[in-house]
PDB file of all heavy atoms in Angstrom:
ATOM      1  N   ALA G  18       9.634  31.915-155.994  1.00 90.00           N
ATOM      2  CA  ALA G  18      10.062  30.826-155.112  1.00 90.00           C
ATOM      3  C   ALA G  18       9.351  30.905-153.762  1.00 90.00           C
ATOM      4  O   ALA G  18       8.870  29.881-153.243  1.00 90.00           O
ATOM      5  CB  ALA G  18      11.583  30.862-154.919  1.00 90.00           C
ATOM      6  N   ARG G  19       9.258  32.093-153.209  1.00 92.00           N
ATOM      7  CA  ARG G  19       8.533  32.250-151.940  1.00 92.00           C
ATOM      8  C   ARG G  19       7.068  31.879-152.087  1.00 92.00           C
ATOM      9  O   ARG G  19       6.506  31.194-151.244  1.00 92.00           O
ATOM     10  CB  ARG G  19       8.658  33.692-151.434  1.00 92.00           C
ATOM     11  CG  ARG G  19       9.979  34.002-150.763  1.00 92.00           C
ATOM     12  CD  ARG G  19       9.958  35.358-150.074  1.00 92.00           C
ATOM     13  NE  ARG G  19       9.673  36.464-150.985  1.00 92.00           N
ATOM     14  CZ  ARG G  19      10.582  37.078-151.750  1.00 92.00           C
ATOM     15  NH1 ARG G  19      11.851  36.696-151.692  1.00 92.00           N
ATOM     16  NH2 ARG G  19      10.244  38.079-152.525  1.00 92.00           N
ATOM     17  N   ARG G  20       6.449  32.330-153.162  1.00 90.00           N
ATOM     18  CA  ARG G  20       5.019  32.072-153.375  1.00 90.00           C
ATOM     19  C   ARG G  20       4.715  30.583-153.454  1.00 90.00           C
ATOM     20  O   ARG G  20       3.680  30.125-152.975  1.00 90.00           O
ATOM     21  CB  ARG G  20       4.564  32.774-154.646  1.00 90.00           C
ATOM     22  CG  ARG G  20       3.090  32.618-154.930  1.00 90.00           C
ATOM     23  CD  ARG G  20       2.693  33.415-156.137  1.00 90.00           C
ATOM     24  NE  ARG G  20       1.258  33.338-156.324  1.00 90.00           N
ATOM     25  CZ  ARG G  20       0.630  33.911-157.300  1.00 90.00           C
ATOM     26  NH1 ARG G  20       1.288  34.619-158.189  1.00 90.00           N
ATOM     27  NH2 ARG G  20      -0.674  33.793-157.413  1.00 90.00           N
ATOM     28  N   TYR G  21       5.596  29.809-154.066  1.00 88.00           N
ATOM     29  CA  TYR G  21       5.339  28.381-154.282  1.00 88.00           C
ATOM     30  C   TYR G  21       6.242  27.476-153.452  1.00 88.00           C
ATOM     31  O   TYR G  21       6.379  26.294-153.753  1.00 88.00           O
ATOM     32  CB  TYR G  21       5.454  28.052-155.772  1.00 88.00           C
ATOM     33  CG  TYR G  21       4.374  28.744-156.561  1.00 88.00           C
ATOM     34  CD1 TYR G  21       4.659  29.863-157.328  1.00 88.00           C
ATOM     35  CD2 TYR G  21       3.055  28.289-156.514  1.00 88.00           C
ATOM     36  CE1 TYR G  21       3.660  30.508-158.044  1.00 88.00           C
ATOM     37  CE2 TYR G  21       2.052  28.928-157.226  1.00 88.00           C
ATOM     38  CZ  TYR G  21       2.364  30.039-157.980  1.00 88.00           C
ATOM     39  OH  TYR G  21       1.363  30.674-158.676  1.00 88.00           O
ATOM     40  N   ALA G  22       6.834  28.010-152.412  1.00 91.00           N
ATOM     41  CA  ALA G  22       7.662  27.243-151.479  1.00 91.00           C
ATOM     42  C   ALA G  22       8.787  26.491-152.188  1.00 91.00           C
ATOM     43  O   ALA G  22       9.034  25.314-151.936  1.00 91.00           O
ATOM     44  CB  ALA G  22       6.794  26.286-150.661  1.00 91.00           C
ATOM     45  N   LEU G  23       9.480  27.193-153.078  1.00 91.00           N
ATOM     46  CA  LEU G  23      10.629  26.624-153.780  1.00 91.00           C
ATOM     47  C   LEU G  23      11.899  27.227-153.195  1.00 91.00           C
ATOM     48  O   LEU G  23      11.859  28.216-152.461  1.00 91.00           O
ATOM     49  CB  LEU G  23      10.520  26.918-155.278  1.00 91.00           C
ATOM     50  CG  LEU G  23       9.287  26.314-155.961  1.00 91.00           C
ATOM     51  CD1 LEU G  23       9.131  26.877-157.368  1.00 91.00           C
ATOM     52  CD2 LEU G  23       9.370  24.798-156.004  1.00 91.00           C
ATOM     53  N   ASP G  24      13.028  26.648-153.531  1.00 93.00           N
ATOM     54  CA  ASP G  24      14.314  27.105-153.014  1.00 93.00           C
ATOM     55  C   ASP G  24      14.740  28.388-153.740  1.00 93.00           C
ATOM     56  O   ASP G  24      15.043  28.352-154.930  1.00 93.00           O
ATOM     57  CB  ASP G  24      15.356  26.002-153.226  1.00 93.00           C
ATOM     58  CG  ASP G  24      16.722  26.358-152.676  1.00 93.00           C
ATOM     59  OD1 ASP G  24      16.920  27.495-152.199  1.00 93.00           O
ATOM     60  OD2 ASP G  24      17.605  25.476-152.727  1.00 93.00           O
ATOM     61  N   PRO G  25      14.786  29.529-153.038  1.00 92.00           N
ATOM     62  CA  PRO G  25      15.172  30.783-153.693  1.00 92.00           C
ATOM     63  C   PRO G  25      16.591  30.768-154.247  1.00 92.00           C
ATOM     64  O   PRO G  25      16.910  31.528-155.150  1.00 92.00           O
ATOM     65  CB  PRO G  25      15.040  31.841-152.584  1.00 92.00           C
ATOM     66  CG  PRO G  25      14.246  31.208-151.506  1.00 92.00           C
ATOM     67  CD  PRO G  25      14.413  29.727-151.636  1.00 92.00           C
ATOM     68  N   ALA G  26      17.436  29.896-153.720  1.00 92.00           N
ATOM     69  CA  ALA G  26      18.828  29.826-154.180  1.00 92.00           C
ATOM     70  C   ALA G  26      18.990  28.938-155.412  1.00 92.00           C
ATOM     71  O   ALA G  26      20.063  28.901-156.003  1.00 92.00           O
ATOM     72  CB  ALA G  26      19.718  29.305-153.052  1.00 92.00           C
ATOM     73  N   ARG G  27      17.956  28.215-155.787  1.00 93.00           N
ATOM     74  CA  ARG G  27      18.056  27.272-156.918  1.00 93.00           C
ATOM     75  C   ARG G  27      16.918  27.535-157.919  1.00 93.00           C
ATOM     76  O   ARG G  27      15.874  26.896-157.871  1.00 93.00           O
ATOM     77  CB  ARG G  27      17.965  25.841-156.401  1.00 93.00           C
ATOM     78  CG  ARG G  27      18.207  24.814-157.472  1.00 93.00           C
ATOM     79  CD  ARG G  27      18.180  23.396-156.896  1.00 93.00           C
ATOM     80  NE  ARG G  27      17.972  22.461-157.978  1.00 93.00           N
ATOM     81  CZ  ARG G  27      16.813  21.921-158.301  1.00 93.00           C
ATOM     82  NH1 ARG G  27      15.744  22.180-157.606  1.00 93.00           N
ATOM     83  NH2 ARG G  27      16.714  21.101-159.308  1.00 93.00           N
ATOM     84  N   PRO G  28      17.122  28.508-158.826  1.00 93.00           N
ATOM     85  CA  PRO G  28      16.060  28.801-159.791  1.00 93.00           C
ATOM     86  C   PRO G  28      15.806  27.624-160.734  1.00 93.00           C
ATOM     87  O   PRO G  28      16.743  26.970-161.197  1.00 93.00           O
ATOM     88  CB  PRO G  28      16.574  30.008-160.557  1.00 93.00           C
ATOM     89  CG  PRO G  28      17.992  30.180-160.181  1.00 93.00           C
ATOM     90  CD  PRO G  28      18.286  29.339-159.000  1.00 93.00           C
ATOM     91  N   VAL G  29      14.542  27.357-160.976  1.00 91.00           N
ATOM     92  CA  VAL G  29      14.147  26.320-161.917  1.00 91.00           C
ATOM     93  C   VAL G  29      13.094  26.892-162.858  1.00 91.00           C
ATOM     94  O   VAL G  29      12.495  27.934-162.581  1.00 91.00           O
ATOM     95  CB  VAL G  29      13.587  25.059-161.205  1.00 91.00           C
ATOM     96  CG1 VAL G  29      14.662  24.358-160.407  1.00 91.00           C
ATOM     97  CG2 VAL G  29      12.398  25.402-160.339  1.00 91.00           C
ATOM     98  N   GLN G  30      12.877  26.211-163.961  1.00 89.00           N
ATOM     99  CA  GLN G  30      11.855  26.611-164.912  1.00 89.00           C
ATOM    100  C   GLN G  30      11.268  25.372-165.560  1.00 89.00           C
ATOM    101  O   GLN G  30      11.864  24.296-165.514  1.00 89.00           O
ATOM    102  CB  GLN G  30      12.430  27.564-165.965  1.00 89.00           C
ATOM    103  CG  GLN G  30      13.524  26.938-166.816  1.00 89.00           C
ATOM    104  CD  GLN G  30      14.189  27.966-167.711  1.00 89.00           C
ATOM    105  OE1 GLN G  30      14.198  29.156-167.429  1.00 89.00           O
ATOM    106  NE2 GLN G  30      14.752  27.511-168.801  1.00 89.00           N
ATOM    107  N   TRP G  31      10.108  25.539-166.140  1.00 88.00           N
ATOM    108  CA  TRP G  31       9.424  24.462-166.829  1.00 88.00           C
ATOM    109  C   TRP G  31       9.089  24.956-168.219  1.00 88.00           C
ATOM    110  O   TRP G  31       8.606  26.071-168.393  1.00 88.00           O
ATOM    111  CB  TRP G  31       8.146  24.074-166.085  1.00 88.00           C
ATOM    112  CG  TRP G  31       8.434  23.581-164.714  1.00 88.00           C
ATOM    113  CD1 TRP G  31       8.641  22.291-164.343  1.00 88.00           C
ATOM    114  CD2 TRP G  31       8.553  24.360-163.526  1.00 88.00           C
ATOM    115  NE1 TRP G  31       8.896  22.218-162.994  1.00 88.00           N
ATOM    116  CE2 TRP G  31       8.839  23.481-162.466  1.00 88.00           C
ATOM    117  CE3 TRP G  31       8.457  25.717-163.228  1.00 88.00           C
ATOM    118  CZ2 TRP G  31       9.021  23.908-161.153  1.00 88.00           C
ATOM    119  CZ3 TRP G  31       8.641  26.147-161.939  1.00 88.00           C
ATOM    120  CH2 TRP G  31       8.920  25.242-160.916  1.00 88.00           C
ATOM    121  N   GLU G  32       9.341  24.136-169.208  1.00 86.00           N
ATOM    122  CA  GLU G  32       9.139  24.533-170.597  1.00 86.00           C
ATOM    123  C   GLU G  32       7.827  23.981-171.128  1.00 86.00           C
ATOM    124  O   GLU G  32       7.536  22.791-170.983  1.00 86.00           O
ATOM    125  CB  GLU G  32      10.294  24.029-171.472  1.00 86.00           C
ATOM    126  CG  GLU G  32      11.661  24.520-171.038  1.00 86.00           C
ATOM    127  CD  GLU G  32      11.834  26.027-171.211  1.00 86.00           C
ATOM    128  OE1 GLU G  32      11.164  26.617-172.083  1.00 86.00           O
ATOM    129  OE2 GLU G  32      12.634  26.606-170.466  1.00 86.00           O
ATOM    130  N   VAL G  33       7.046  24.836-171.764  1.00 86.00           N
ATOM    131  CA  VAL G  33       5.778  24.418-172.347  1.00 86.00           C
ATOM    132  C   VAL G  33       6.017  23.368-173.445  1.00 86.00           C
ATOM    133  O   VAL G  33       5.176  22.518-173.688  1.00 86.00           O
ATOM    134  CB  VAL G  33       4.985  25.639-172.870  1.00 86.00           C
ATOM    135  CG1 VAL G  33       5.649  26.253-174.077  1.00 86.00           C
ATOM    136  CG2 VAL G  33       3.557  25.272-173.155  1.00 86.00           C
ATOM    137  N   GLU G  34       7.188  23.386-174.049  1.00 87.00           N
ATOM    138  CA  GLU G  34       7.512  22.425-175.103  1.00 87.00           C
ATOM    139  C   GLU G  34       7.588  20.995-174.583  1.00 87.00           C
ATOM    140  O   GLU G  34       7.619  20.044-175.350  1.00 87.00           O
ATOM    141  CB  GLU G  34       8.836  22.785-175.782  1.00 87.00           C
ATOM    142  CG  GLU G  34       8.796  24.068-176.569  1.00 87.00           C
ATOM    143  CD  GLU G  34       9.084  25.301-175.707  1.00 87.00           C
ATOM    144  OE1 GLU G  34       9.343  25.170-174.488  1.00 87.00           O
ATOM    145  OE2 GLU G  34       9.035  26.406-176.258  1.00 87.00           O
ATOM    146  N   ALA G  35       7.631  20.825-173.248  1.00 89.00           N
ATOM    147  CA  ALA G  35       7.671  19.478-172.673  1.00 89.00           C
ATOM    148  C   ALA G  35       6.303  18.795-172.754  1.00 89.00           C
ATOM    149  O   ALA G  35       6.215  17.584-172.572  1.00 89.00           O
ATOM    150  CB  ALA G  35       8.138  19.535-171.219  1.00 89.00           C
ATOM    151  N   LEU G  36       5.256  19.549-173.033  1.00 91.00           N
ATOM    152  CA  LEU G  36       3.932  18.944-173.202  1.00 91.00           C
ATOM    153  C   LEU G  36       3.884  18.171-174.509  1.00 91.00           C
ATOM    154  O   LEU G  36       4.577  18.498-175.474  1.00 91.00           O
ATOM    155  CB  LEU G  36       2.851  20.032-173.240  1.00 91.00           C
ATOM    156  CG  LEU G  36       2.556  20.747-171.939  1.00 91.00           C
ATOM    157  CD1 LEU G  36       1.644  21.945-172.207  1.00 91.00           C
ATOM    158  CD2 LEU G  36       1.906  19.808-170.945  1.00 91.00           C
ATOM    159  N   GLU G  37       3.026  17.163-174.548  1.00 93.00           N
ATOM    160  CA  GLU G  37       2.796  16.450-175.806  1.00 93.00           C
ATOM    161  C   GLU G  37       2.225  17.444-176.813  1.00 93.00           C
ATOM    162  O   GLU G  37       1.365  18.270-176.447  1.00 93.00           O
ATOM    163  CB  GLU G  37       1.810  15.296-175.594  1.00 93.00           C
ATOM    164  CG  GLU G  37       2.373  14.155-174.773  1.00 93.00           C
ATOM    165  CD  GLU G  37       3.506  13.442-175.482  1.00 93.00           C
ATOM    166  OE1 GLU G  37       3.463  13.305-176.725  1.00 93.00           O
ATOM    167  OE2 GLU G  37       4.460  13.030-174.794  1.00 93.00           O
ATOM    168  N   PRO G  38       2.644  17.396-178.073  1.00 94.00           N
ATOM    169  CA  PRO G  38       2.156  18.371-179.067  1.00 94.00           C
ATOM    170  C   PRO G  38       0.625  18.438-179.167  1.00 94.00           C
ATOM    171  O   PRO G  38       0.066  19.535-179.264  1.00 94.00           O
ATOM    172  CB  PRO G  38       2.776  17.889-180.380  1.00 94.00           C
ATOM    173  CG  PRO G  38       4.011  17.166-179.949  1.00 94.00           C
ATOM    174  CD  PRO G  38       3.667  16.510-178.636  1.00 94.00           C
ATOM    175  N   ASP G  39      -0.039  17.289-179.124  1.00 95.00           N
ATOM    176  CA  ASP G  39      -1.507  17.306-179.215  1.00 95.00           C
ATOM    177  C   ASP G  39      -2.131  18.021-178.020  1.00 95.00           C
ATOM    178  O   ASP G  39      -3.125  18.742-178.158  1.00 95.00           O
ATOM    179  CB  ASP G  39      -2.062  15.891-179.319  1.00 95.00           C
ATOM    180  CG  ASP G  39      -1.770  15.238-180.657  1.00 95.00           C
ATOM    181  OD1 ASP G  39      -1.423  15.966-181.615  1.00 95.00           O
ATOM    182  OD2 ASP G  39      -1.900  13.996-180.756  1.00 95.00           O
ATOM    183  N   GLU G  40      -1.553  17.838-176.832  1.00 93.00           N
ATOM    184  CA  GLU G  40      -2.082  18.497-175.643  1.00 93.00           C
ATOM    185  C   GLU G  40      -1.798  19.995-175.686  1.00 93.00           C
ATOM    186  O   GLU G  40      -2.653  20.805-175.323  1.00 93.00           O
ATOM    187  CB  GLU G  40      -1.495  17.876-174.370  1.00 93.00           C
ATOM    188  CG  GLU G  40      -2.034  18.468-173.098  1.00 93.00           C
ATOM    189  CD  GLU G  40      -3.534  18.271-172.891  1.00 93.00           C
ATOM    190  OE1 GLU G  40      -4.203  17.570-173.687  1.00 93.00           O
ATOM    191  OE2 GLU G  40      -4.059  18.845-171.930  1.00 93.00           O
ATOM    192  N   LEU G  41      -0.623  20.365-176.147  1.00 91.00           N
ATOM    193  CA  LEU G  41      -0.288  21.777-176.290  1.00 91.00           C
ATOM    194  C   LEU G  41      -1.266  22.450-177.261  1.00 91.00           C
ATOM    195  O   LEU G  41      -1.799  23.526-176.972  1.00 91.00           O
ATOM    196  CB  LEU G  41       1.153  21.934-176.776  1.00 91.00           C
ATOM    197  CG  LEU G  41       1.650  23.352-177.022  1.00 91.00           C
ATOM    198  CD1 LEU G  41       1.530  24.208-175.777  1.00 91.00           C
ATOM    199  CD2 LEU G  41       3.087  23.313-177.515  1.00 91.00           C
ATOM    200  N   GLN G  42      -1.528  21.806-178.382  1.00 93.00           N
ATOM    201  CA  GLN G  42      -2.483  22.348-179.355  1.00 93.00           C
ATOM    202  C   GLN G  42      -3.877  22.482-178.728  1.00 93.00           C
ATOM    203  O   GLN G  42      -4.545  23.490-178.890  1.00 93.00           O
ATOM    204  CB  GLN G  42      -2.548  21.472-180.596  1.00 93.00           C
ATOM    205  CG  GLN G  42      -3.522  21.997-181.635  1.00 93.00           C
ATOM    206  CD  GLN G  42      -3.597  21.124-182.870  1.00 93.00           C
ATOM    207  OE1 GLN G  42      -3.156  19.978-182.863  1.00 93.00           O
ATOM    208  NE2 GLN G  42      -4.158  21.651-183.926  1.00 93.00           N
ATOM    209  N   ARG G  43      -4.301  21.484-177.991  1.00 93.00           N
ATOM    210  CA  ARG G  43      -5.622  21.518-177.357  1.00 93.00           C
ATOM    211  C   ARG G  43      -5.720  22.692-176.386  1.00 93.00           C
ATOM    212  O   ARG G  43      -6.707  23.431-176.380  1.00 93.00           O
ATOM    213  CB  ARG G  43      -5.895  20.199-176.618  1.00 93.00           C
ATOM    214  CG  ARG G  43      -7.313  20.105-176.058  1.00 93.00           C
ATOM    215  CD  ARG G  43      -7.467  18.936-175.104  1.00 93.00           C
ATOM    216  NE  ARG G  43      -6.771  19.128-173.837  1.00 93.00           N
ATOM    217  CZ  ARG G  43      -7.182  19.957-172.864  1.00 93.00           C
ATOM    218  NH1 ARG G  43      -8.262  20.673-173.014  1.00 93.00           N
ATOM    219  NH2 ARG G  43      -6.480  20.070-171.740  1.00 93.00           N
ATOM    220  N   LEU G  44      -4.687  22.890-175.574  1.00 89.00           N
ATOM    221  CA  LEU G  44      -4.692  23.983-174.603  1.00 89.00           C
ATOM    222  C   LEU G  44      -4.719  25.354-175.280  1.00 89.00           C
ATOM    223  O   LEU G  44      -5.452  26.256-174.857  1.00 89.00           O
ATOM    224  CB  LEU G  44      -3.472  23.878-173.680  1.00 89.00           C
ATOM    225  CG  LEU G  44      -3.488  22.715-172.691  1.00 89.00           C
ATOM    226  CD1 LEU G  44      -2.129  22.567-172.035  1.00 89.00           C
ATOM    227  CD2 LEU G  44      -4.584  22.889-171.668  1.00 89.00           C
ATOM    228  N   VAL G  45      -3.937  25.513-176.326  1.00 88.00           N
ATOM    229  CA  VAL G  45      -3.905  26.799-177.032  1.00 88.00           C
ATOM    230  C   VAL G  45      -5.256  27.082-177.685  1.00 88.00           C
ATOM    231  O   VAL G  45      -5.806  28.179-177.564  1.00 88.00           O
ATOM    232  CB  VAL G  45      -2.764  26.843-178.075  1.00 88.00           C
ATOM    233  CG1 VAL G  45      -2.882  28.067-178.966  1.00 88.00           C
ATOM    234  CG2 VAL G  45      -1.411  26.817-177.380  1.00 88.00           C
ATOM    235  N   LEU G  46      -5.817  26.088-178.373  1.00 90.00           N
ATOM    236  CA  LEU G  46      -7.118  26.294-179.025  1.00 90.00           C
ATOM    237  C   LEU G  46      -8.214  26.586-178.010  1.00 90.00           C
ATOM    238  O   LEU G  46      -9.079  27.435-178.238  1.00 90.00           O
ATOM    239  CB  LEU G  46      -7.478  25.087-179.890  1.00 90.00           C
ATOM    240  CG  LEU G  46      -6.600  24.895-181.132  1.00 90.00           C
ATOM    241  CD1 LEU G  46      -6.976  23.599-181.858  1.00 90.00           C
ATOM    242  CD2 LEU G  46      -6.691  26.092-182.058  1.00 90.00           C
ATOM    243  N   ALA G  47      -8.187  25.900-176.877  1.00 90.00           N
ATOM    244  CA  ALA G  47      -9.184  26.151-175.833  1.00 90.00           C
ATOM    245  C   ALA G  47      -9.035  27.563-175.265  1.00 90.00           C
ATOM    246  O   ALA G  47     -10.032  28.223-174.952  1.00 90.00           O
ATOM    247  CB  ALA G  47      -9.058  25.113-174.718  1.00 90.00           C
ATOM    248  N   ALA G  48      -7.822  28.052-175.145  1.00 86.00           N
ATOM    249  CA  ALA G  48      -7.583  29.388-174.607  1.00 86.00           C
ATOM    250  C   ALA G  48      -8.011  30.479-175.590  1.00 86.00           C
ATOM    251  O   ALA G  48      -8.502  31.529-175.186  1.00 86.00           O
ATOM    252  CB  ALA G  48      -6.108  29.553-174.256  1.00 86.00           C
ATOM    253  N   VAL G  49      -7.856  30.230-176.864  1.00 86.00           N
ATOM    254  CA  VAL G  49      -8.181  31.220-177.887  1.00 86.00           C
ATOM    255  C   VAL G  49      -9.673  31.210-178.228  1.00 86.00           C
ATOM    256  O   VAL G  49     -10.243  32.244-178.568  1.00 86.00           O
ATOM    257  CB  VAL G  49      -7.335  30.956-179.158  1.00 86.00           C
ATOM    258  CG1 VAL G  49      -7.783  31.813-180.324  1.00 86.00           C
ATOM    259  CG2 VAL G  49      -5.856  31.196-178.858  1.00 86.00           C
ATOM    260  N   ASP G  50     -10.313  30.073-178.097  1.00 91.00           N
ATOM    261  CA  ASP G  50     -11.701  29.901-178.532  1.00 91.00           C
ATOM    262  C   ASP G  50     -12.663  30.984-178.048  1.00 91.00           C
ATOM    263  O   ASP G  50     -13.464  31.478-178.841  1.00 91.00           O
ATOM    264  CB  ASP G  50     -12.210  28.513-178.131  1.00 91.00           C
ATOM    265  CG  ASP G  50     -13.583  28.240-178.706  1.00 91.00           C
ATOM    266  OD1 ASP G  50     -13.689  28.143-179.946  1.00 91.00           O
ATOM    267  OD2 ASP G  50     -14.546  28.148-177.910  1.00 91.00           O
ATOM    268  N   PRO G  51     -12.628  31.394-176.778  1.00 89.00           N
ATOM    269  CA  PRO G  51     -13.591  32.414-176.340  1.00 89.00           C
ATOM    270  C   PRO G  51     -13.448  33.762-177.049  1.00 89.00           C
ATOM    271  O   PRO G  51     -14.359  34.569-177.021  1.00 89.00           O
ATOM    272  CB  PRO G  51     -13.290  32.585-174.845  1.00 89.00           C
ATOM    273  CG  PRO G  51     -12.533  31.385-174.445  1.00 89.00           C
ATOM    274  CD  PRO G  51     -11.816  30.902-175.667  1.00 89.00           C
ATOM    275  N   TYR G  52     -12.321  34.008-177.697  1.00 85.00           N
ATOM    276  CA  TYR G  52     -12.064  35.291-178.333  1.00 85.00           C
ATOM    277  C   TYR G  52     -12.324  35.276-179.835  1.00 85.00           C
ATOM    278  O   TYR G  52     -12.143  36.294-180.495  1.00 85.00           O
ATOM    279  CB  TYR G  52     -10.620  35.722-178.058  1.00 85.00           C
ATOM    280  CG  TYR G  52     -10.319  35.748-176.592  1.00 85.00           C
ATOM    281  CD1 TYR G  52      -9.575  34.738-175.989  1.00 85.00           C
ATOM    282  CD2 TYR G  52     -10.810  36.764-175.783  1.00 85.00           C
ATOM    283  CE1 TYR G  52      -9.312  34.758-174.628  1.00 85.00           C
ATOM    284  CE2 TYR G  52     -10.557  36.790-174.420  1.00 85.00           C
ATOM    285  CZ  TYR G  52      -9.809  35.781-173.858  1.00 85.00           C
ATOM    286  OH  TYR G  52      -9.552  35.799-172.513  1.00 85.00           O
ATOM    287  N   VAL G  53     -12.720  34.136-180.372  1.00 90.00           N
ATOM    288  CA  VAL G  53     -12.934  34.017-181.809  1.00 90.00           C
ATOM    289  C   VAL G  53     -14.298  34.594-182.170  1.00 90.00           C
ATOM    290  O   VAL G  53     -15.320  34.188-181.617  1.00 90.00           O
ATOM    291  CB  VAL G  53     -12.840  32.543-182.262  1.00 90.00           C
ATOM    292  CG1 VAL G  53     -13.207  32.396-183.732  1.00 90.00           C
ATOM    293  CG2 VAL G  53     -11.438  32.004-182.005  1.00 90.00           C
TER     294      VAL G  53
END
């Protein structure tokens, strides 16, 4: 919260599942590609 100027008293989170499935797949494949 301090690092990103958020309210330390109000924890929040963001879920990767909120991404569109096609975009999530694209991001995962792009991240893995250099290691193949």
Side-chain angles (χ1 to χ4, degrees):
R19 281 190 301 277
R20 182 176 185 181
Y21 295 104
L23 298 169
D24 182 355
R27 186 177 161 261
V29 293
Q30 62 188 25
W31 298 268
E32 302 293 333
V33 69
E34 293 86 1
L36 289 170
E37 290 294 324
D39 289 343
E40 182 63 6
L41 178 58
Q42 180 180 16
R43 186 192 71 74
L44 290 169
V45 170
L46 292 175
V49 171
D50 187 66
Y52 305 103
V53 174

